[in-house]
Amino acid sequence: MPTDEASQTVEIDAPTDVVLAAIRDVESQPTWISEILRAELLEEYEDGTPATAHIVAAAPVGTDEYVLEYEHPDDDSGMSWSLVKGRLQTGQDGRYTLRPVGPARTEVTFSLRISHHLPLPGFVRQRVIKGLVASTVNGLKSHLER
């Protein structure tokens, strides 16, 4: 089973708490991540942060559907998730790591690892995951800086 990984860092002109609120608003992700077609929050933790969500996303071979489970570090430095159930994917681990670089500026690192059974050549898979990661961080930046 192939596994593909990519990571990218971007600086966003927004305070860390604003960036954190945006990434935790799972249902708004289709407005700034072009590959996500629908996102439905299934469960929240007692503090109101997302616990699980159902995602419908565009994939190189059609549409994929999956459920993610989220974790939130105590220091509010980001959000991570892992795949609970997927149609095309057999695994997904992702993380946003936030670091303040000024009172109204945040460094965001987005890391993503996806496992699947797609019969695509390695160079195509690598281009797809790098494009997805770039689209996500650039979409978040545009969303928060407009």
Side-chain angles (χ1 to χ4, degrees), residues 87-140:
R87 192 171 66 81
L88 298 176
Q89 298 178 48
T90 58
Q92 181 183 139
D93 295 297
R95 171 180 289 286
Y96 290 104
T97 304
L98 310 181
R99 186 177 70 86
V101 291
R105 191 162 177 84
T106 305
E107 179 185 88
V108 178
T109 300
F110 176 48
S111 303
L112 183 64
R113 182 178 60 216
I114 296 177
S115 300
H116 51 80
H117 294 295
L118 300 178
L120 299 171
F123 74 93
V124 172
R125 294 190 333 263
Q126 197 54 227
R127 185 175 52 202
V128 168
I129 196 163
K130 283 183 178 180
L132 174 58
V133 167
S135 172
T136 299
V137 295
N138 292 329
L140 178 61

Side-chain angles (χ1 to χ4, degrees), residues 35-91:
E35 293 82 2
I36 295 184
L37 306 174
R38 285 193 322 268
E40 176 190 2
L41 188 61
L42 300 175
E43 295 175 277
E44 291 180 332
Y45 293 109
E46 287 182 14
D47 64 0
T49 58
T52 60
H54 175 252
I55 309 292
V56 178
V61 295
T63 302
D64 193 10
E65 293 190 45
Y66 46 91
V67 174
L68 300 176
E69 181 175 30
Y70 298 92
E71 294 183 17
H72 308 274
D74 291 336
D75 62 0
D76 285 340
S77 62
M79 180 173 80
S80 61
W81 61 90
S82 57
L83 183 75
V84 174
K85 177 175 73 170
R87 192 171 66 81
L88 298 176
Q89 298 178 48
T90 58

